[in-house]
Amino acid sequence: MRQLFHDELEQVATDLVSLAELVSTAISQATTALLEADVQLADQVIEGDKAIDVRRNDLDSRSIDLLARQAPVASDLRTVVASMRMSGDLERMGDLARHVAQVARMRYPERAVPDELRDVFERMGRVGEDIVQRVGAIILSLDLEQAQDIEQVDDQLDELHRDMFTRLAEGAWAHGTTSAVDVALLSRYYERFGDHAVTVARRVVFLVTGEAGAVELPEESERD
Amino acid sequence: MRQLFHDELEQVATDLVSLAELVSTAISQATTALLEADVQLADQVIEGDKAIDVRRNDLDSRSIDLLARQAPVASDLRTVVASMRMSGDLERMGDLARHVAQVARMRYPERAVPDELRDVFERMGRVGEDIVQRVGAIILSLDLEQAQDIEQVDDQLDELHRDMFTRLAEGAWAHGTTSAVDVALLSRYYERFGDHAVTVARRVVFLVTGEAGAVELPEESERD
């Protein structure tokens, strides 16, 4: 019975990792769709988000089923509860990738991002992809050091996000209101994407060390 | 044993309701702080959000404890899991109220919202307060009709949010980039606030009817 339970728990972890992989593809494709005004790719991300939601619901149903059948306690219980929360974070990251794709779609055939900011969003996309891949690895490895590294990766997104708002400041912006609003929201999507990755990493730390506190989303920057 | 369990479950519901009350005060005060550029009130909301987070963490710890001690199944298990999710939604609504207060604080002594939009944000604040109070009532009453009404209340927020983006469109906006970005983000905070209220209502429907599906956040508007 316990062996079966642990097999099932392992399956949950594996499924979380494939959820992270789907989200990694989503943020990467959404960024390309945004920068290239590629509406087919944008639609693919928007459509693909439904699959992420279905996987997440399926994963959570199985976790609830595990609770009902096995009545785990102590660290096993903590693992099941944490898994359900991590799936929620990953699903939300998928939503944020979809939001990026939706902005690309709305501005098509124009590009939503002015040329001079192209490199910043390219970097945000790359860091976003990197951070969710790291999160996937950590869910399996339960490596505390790797989990702590996530915070530094997220700092890059926060810094890019802050830079963006400096560029949007009065007088510095020459691309009109609509573009300013697009860029502000897009930048926020990437920043929130990173926040959720940090939360998953903190949940892993909590699982391993049992130390509570600080499992919530990191403090968002004042600007949001 | 079962009676004790149900008493504890009732306590969780009561605590969710007081969480909703705190959030209601937060969104109401945040809106006033925003419209009056009242920095003391803004600070009060920002500080008060910590109390909401603490209450939420405490509530979730007790739910996990309930799972461990009582190993509930079927509808009891569903109730505990749903409660943990509802506390997460309410906590996030508190964050969004804090974000509104943070914009007020950042623009102080100026007002973040141009005079001509004052009435729109006043309405968003009132609808926000209304929706979270309704959510609190539904958590106790488990009334399906009231739960379904929440969707219509949320439609008001969605409509106000869409109107805002029409006003932000090229040519129509005369208040500069910084203000456009503030207003876009603020409007989004209220809209998301409503989305989370809808999610709580759907979780109640799910609890009562046992019908799965559609328990996720409502589809966000294309504009986001």
Side-chain angles (χ1 to χ4, degrees), chain A residues 46 49 53 56-57 60 64-65 67-69 71-74 77-78 81 84-85 87 91-92 95-96 98-100 102-103 105-107 165 168-171 173 175-182 184-185 188-189 192 203 213 216-217 219-224, chain B residues 46 53 56-57 60-61 64-65 67-69 71-74 77-78 81 84-85 91-92 95-96 98-100 102-103 105-107 165 168-171 173 175-182 184-185 188-189 192 203 213-214 216-217 219-224:
Chain A
I46 294 164
D49 187 46
D53 294 350
R56 185 256 167 129
N57 286 336
D60 282 1
I64 294 177
D65 188 52
L67 291 177
R69 281 188 294 107
V73 294
L77 173 59
R78 229 162 49 206
V81 171
M84 290 173 68
R85 288 174 167 165
S87 74
E91 190 254 340
R92 184 70 196 143
D95 288 347
L96 290 162
R98 171 168 54 80
H99 292 342
V100 171
Q102 280 167 332
V103 175
R105 160 161 259 308
M106 190 168 46
R107 295 297 164 227
F165 279 97
L168 284 168
E170 225 61 67
W173 187 257
H175 307 284
T177 316
T178 304
S179 174
V181 169
D182 280 349
L185 288 174
R188 179 165 166 84
Y189 299 147
R192 293 288 299 152
R203 297 195 201 285
E216 285 322 301
L217 283 171
E219 197 58 31
E220 295 165 62
S221 73
E222 276 280 316
R223 192 56 194 76
D224 306 309
Chain B
I46 295 164
D53 294 350
R56 186 255 167 130
N57 286 337
D60 282 2
S61 302
I64 294 177
D65 188 51
L67 291 176
R69 283 188 293 107
V73 294
L77 172 58
R78 230 159 54 204
V81 171
M84 290 172 70
R85 287 175 167 162
E91 190 255 340
R92 185 68 196 143
D95 287 348
L96 290 163
R98 170 168 55 81
H99 292 342
V100 171
Q102 280 166 332
V103 175
R105 159 162 260 309
M106 191 169 45
R107 294 298 165 226
F165 278 98
L168 284 168
E170 227 59 66
W173 187 256
H175 308 283
T177 316
T178 303
S179 175
V181 169
D182 280 348
L185 289 174
R188 181 167 165 82
Y189 298 147
R192 294 287 299 152
R203 297 195 200 285
E216 284 323 303
L217 283 172
E219 197 57 31
E220 294 164 65
S221 72
E222 274 282 313
R223 191 56 195 73
D224 305 309

Side-chain angles (χ1 to χ4, degrees), chain B residues 22-31 42 45-46 49 52 91-103 189-190 193:
Chain B
L22 288 177
V23 174
S24 167
T25 304
I27 194 70
S28 158
Q29 290 182 337
T31 306
V45 174
I46 295 164
D49 187 47
I52 293 178
E91 190 255 340
R92 185 68 196 143
M93 291 167 87
D95 287 348
L96 290 163
R98 170 168 55 81
H99 292 342
V100 171
Q102 280 166 332
V103 175
Y189 298 147
Y190 286 98
F193 190 91

Side-chain angles (χ1 to χ4, degrees), chain B residues 32-47:
Chain B
T32 303
L34 179 72
L35 296 175
E36 308 305 331
D38 184 336
V39 75
Q40 275 85 23
L41 198 55
D43 283 340
Q44 202 175 314
V45 174
I46 295 164
E47 196 53 36

